[in-house]
Amino acid sequence: NIIVDCLESNEAAARVKAKFDSISPKPVKAIIYTHNHTDHIFGSEIMAGNEQPDVYAHELTNYYIDRLVSVVLDGIERRSYRMFGTHLRGNGHVNCGIGPFLDAHDATTRSLLRPTITFKDSLMTVIEGIDIQLFHMPGETNDQIAVWLPKQKALLSGDNIYKSFPNLYTIRGTPYRDVREWANSLDKLRELQAEVLIPSHTQPIQGAKKIEQLLTDYADGIRFVHDQTIRYMNKGLTPDEIVELVQLPEHLQKNPHLQEFYGRVDWSVRSIFTGYFGWFDGNATTLLPSSPTQKAKNMAALVGGTTQLLDKAEEAFQEKNFQWALELSDHLLKLDANHQTAKDLRHECLLALGQQQANPNARNYYLSQALEVKGYDIVHKTPRPPSIVHKIPLASIFNSMGVRLASERCLDYNKKAVFRFTDTGEAWTVHIRNGVAEVKATAINEPDISVETTAIIWKEIAAKLRSPVAAIAKGEVKIEGGLGNFKEFMEMFEI
C-alpha cells in the first residue's frame, strides 16, 4: 500500500486506517505528503502502523513544518481554532468548507514521520511495481506536489483544487500564496489529460473532458481575480474599493467548484494587493493612522460621549446593521475593556453576523470569537508529544527565541549565553542586548553563561515536557556562570 496524506491527528487517522485495512491490509510501503499542512501529516505514525515506510515530499516541506511548530505556532493555532470552529458545539458548527470537521483539538494527539525522500522539481520512481511521478506544483502552499499515476491516468492533486473557490488567502494566516503560480500549476496538471482526478479534499472526478474543463475553469477563476485586482491596483484604487469591483464572470460564478464555500473572492483581492504592494493602501489618510484608542476617543467625542456612542451601537443593532454595531463595539471596548454592555452587544453582533454567513470559515470565526467575548479560552495549551518534539531541529528552537523575547523585560540587560549539546556536537550563542536577541549557530568565547546538555533534553525543556530545575538537579543540564544568572536569562523569554 502507498498512502497519500495522513490526516490531522492520530484519532482521525485511526478511523480511516481501520477502514483502509478492511479493504487492503497489505503493508504500507510508502507515504507521500502533498504538502506541509497539519491535516495532511499529523496522523502519519498511525497510517504507517508497524511498518517503516519511505516518506516522500517536496524539499521545502521540512522547512515549513519546522516554521509551523516553532516560530508562528501560537498565532496560527489560535486563528485555526476559530476558522475551523474547533470549539463550537451543537448547531454552532456546520462545516469546515472542505470537510465536515477538523478532528484536531485539545483532546486529540499528533504524530509525525519526517520526509525521508525529497525532490525539487520532479521525481520519477517505482514503488512496489507501481510507476509514480511526483511534480512540484506550487499553489495553496509553496511545497505543494501532485502525484501522477501514468498507467492509471490518475492524478492526486493535493490541495490545488477542491470543490470550492480556492483559499487564495486563508484567514488563519499564511505567507502570501502566489496565485499566479497556482493558476500556472493547474495549467500543467491539465496537460496530463487525467481520466481520474482525486483531490485531497472533496470528491474525486472521473472523465477526461470533465476534468480538463474543471481545471481550465479553476485556473481561469484564479487568474481572473489576480489580473483584475492588479488592473485596479494600477489605477490607484485601494483594497476596499477593489473588492467592490472584482466579481467572477457569470459562467465561473455558476461552476459548482467555484462557489465561495472555502475561499472568498474579496479575501483573495485583499491578499493579492498586500502580496504585491504591502500593507499601505496608497491613501495618505492611512499612512500614519490614529491609534485604535485615539480613534475610539475621537468617535466618542464626535457623537457626544461614551453613552451616546453606546446608544448609536445599540440603535445600529436594532436596525440589523450588525457590522456597524460591531465596529462601534470595538471603539467602546477600547475606551473601557470591561464595559459589560458593550461586551454583550459585541457578542450578539458576532452571533448575528456568523449566522448570516454561507462561508463556513467566516461563520466559524465569528461564532468562535463570540465564545471568546464570553470568556472562553479558545487555545488550551497542551504539551506536544515527544515523538514530534524530538524531531524538531535545534535550529528551529533557537531561531524562534527572538520572537519569544519579552523585550520590555530586558531593555537594560546585556548578557551572552552559549548552549552546547554533547550528543549532536552543535553549539548556539544567544546574546540578549537591550531588548533584542541575537542568535548564532556557533559558540563564542567567554560567554556570561554556559549551558551543556543533550539535544533531546533541551527540546523537552523547551516544549515543557521536562522541568529545567529537575534536569539541573539531576546533572542532566550543567550550568557555568551561576544558576541565578541562567534563571534570569531564561526569564527574559516567553517560553
Side-chain angles (χ1 to χ4, degrees), residues 46 71 174 256 300 394 451:
I46 300 300
V71 178
T174 61
L394 284 171
V451 181

Side-chain angles (χ1 to χ4, degrees), residues 42 45 65-66 69 110-114 383-397 423-424 426 454-466:
F42 278 141
E45 287 187 359
I65 290 173
D66 294 336
V69 299
R110 297 176 176 181
S111 61
L112 175 63
L113 296 177
R114 289 280 183 161
R384 282 172 267 173
S387 62
I388 290 180
V389 168
H390 293 167
K391 294 172 185 174
I392 298 174
L394 284 171
S396 292
I397 294 173
D423 52 342
T424 65
E426 293 176 81
T454 67
I456 292 294
I457 289 172
W458 190 253
K459 289 174 185 180
E460 291 184 354
I461 289 172
K464 298 184 178 179
L465 298 177
R466 183 188 293 259

Side-chain angles (χ1 to χ4, degrees), residues 217 224 247-256 258-259:
D217 286 353
F224 178 90
Q247 297 182 8
L248 291 178
E250 186 177 356
H251 76 283
L252 295 178
Q253 287 186 27
K254 291 180 178 178
N255 189 313
L258 288 170
Q259 302 306 301

Side-chain angles (χ1 to χ4, degrees), residues 215-415:
L215 291 171
T216 300
D217 286 353
Y218 215 73
D220 284 353
I222 294 172
R223 198 170 277 118
F224 178 90
V225 173
H226 172 273
D227 293 351
Q228 294 306 304
T229 299
I230 301 297
R231 174 191 169 206
Y232 289 119
M233 287 166 56
N234 285 334
K235 291 177 181 289
L237 275 66
T238 68
D240 288 343
E241 294 167 329
I242 298 172
V243 295
E244 296 182 357
L245 298 172
V246 177
Q247 297 182 8
L248 291 178
E250 186 177 356
H251 76 283
L252 295 178
Q253 287 186 27
K254 291 180 178 178
N255 189 313
H257 275 75
L258 288 170
Q259 302 306 301
E260 296 178 75
F261 198 63
Y262 193 54
R264 285 179 57 115
V265 171
D266 53 351
W267 294 345
S268 303
V269 167
R270 296 182 188 281
S271 180
I272 292 165
F273 187 103
T274 305
Y276 277 87
F277 277 179
W279 65 267
F280 178 47
D281 66 3
N283 179 0
T285 303
T286 64
L287 193 57
L288 295 170
S290 304
S291 70
T293 300
Q294 186 59 52
K295 284 181 183 178
K297 290 178 179 177
N298 293 344
M299 184 65 74
L302 184 66
V303 297
T306 303
T307 300
Q308 288 82 354
L309 185 59
L310 178 60
D311 289 342
K312 290 295 183 183
E314 291 178 329
E315 181 182 313
F317 182 82
Q318 293 302 321
E319 293 174 354
K320 299 189 177 181
N321 190 350
F322 301 124
Q323 180 60 36
W324 180 231
L326 184 65
E327 292 176 22
L328 292 179
S329 77
D330 276 352
H331 294 312
L332 287 162
L333 291 170
K334 278 297 174 186
L335 298 173
D336 180 1
N338 297 312
H339 195 303
Q340 191 58 50
T341 305
K343 282 186 176 181
D344 292 341
L345 177 65
R346 180 172 177 80
H347 176 264
E348 293 304 311
C349 289
L350 290 166
L351 289 180
L353 287 167
Q355 290 161 3
Q356 290 179 351
Q357 305 306 311
N359 181 287
N361 292 349
R363 173 187 169 89
N364 292 337
Y365 211 99
Y366 280 119
L367 297 185
S368 295
Q369 284 221 313
L371 281 178
E372 293 177 276
V373 171
K374 289 296 187 181
Y376 187 86
D377 182 8
I378 205 80
V379 177
H380 311 305
K381 285 295 179 186
T382 53
R384 282 172 267 173
S387 62
I388 290 180
V389 168
H390 293 167
K391 294 172 185 174
I392 298 174
L394 284 171
S396 292
I397 294 173
F398 279 95
N399 288 333
S400 72
M401 290 185 75
V403 302
R404 297 184 183 278
L405 183 72
S407 60
E408 68 278 4
R409 300 177 190 172
C410 53
L411 294 175
D412 298 317
Y413 185 87
N414 194 330
K415 287 219 168 115

Side-chain angles (χ1 to χ4, degrees), residues 142-218:
N142 290 333
D143 66 330
Q144 195 86 203
I145 69 171
V147 183
W148 173 237
L149 307 179
K151 291 183 178 178
Q152 293 85 357
K153 302 286 284 185
L155 173 62
L156 292 87
S157 55
D159 279 8
N160 275 347
I161 188 168
Y162 31 74
K163 196 174 183 180
S164 168
F165 185 82
N167 222 14
L168 304 183
Y169 170 75
T170 177
I171 57 175
R172 70 177 178 272
T174 61
Y176 175 64
R177 294 173 171 179
D178 190 330
V179 301
R180 186 163 57 176
E181 275 298 299
W182 193 335
N184 291 341
S185 290
L186 292 167
D187 292 340
K188 293 174 184 176
L189 294 180
R190 189 170 73 243
E191 292 172 2
L192 296 172
Q193 298 182 321
E195 295 178 3
V196 181
L197 175 64
I198 307 168
S200 289
H201 296 278
T202 69
Q203 293 295 313
I205 299 150
Q206 289 183 287
K209 288 185 178 180
K210 189 175 181 180
I211 292 168
E212 181 180 12
Q213 187 61 56
L214 172 57
L215 291 171
T216 300
D217 286 353
Y218 215 73

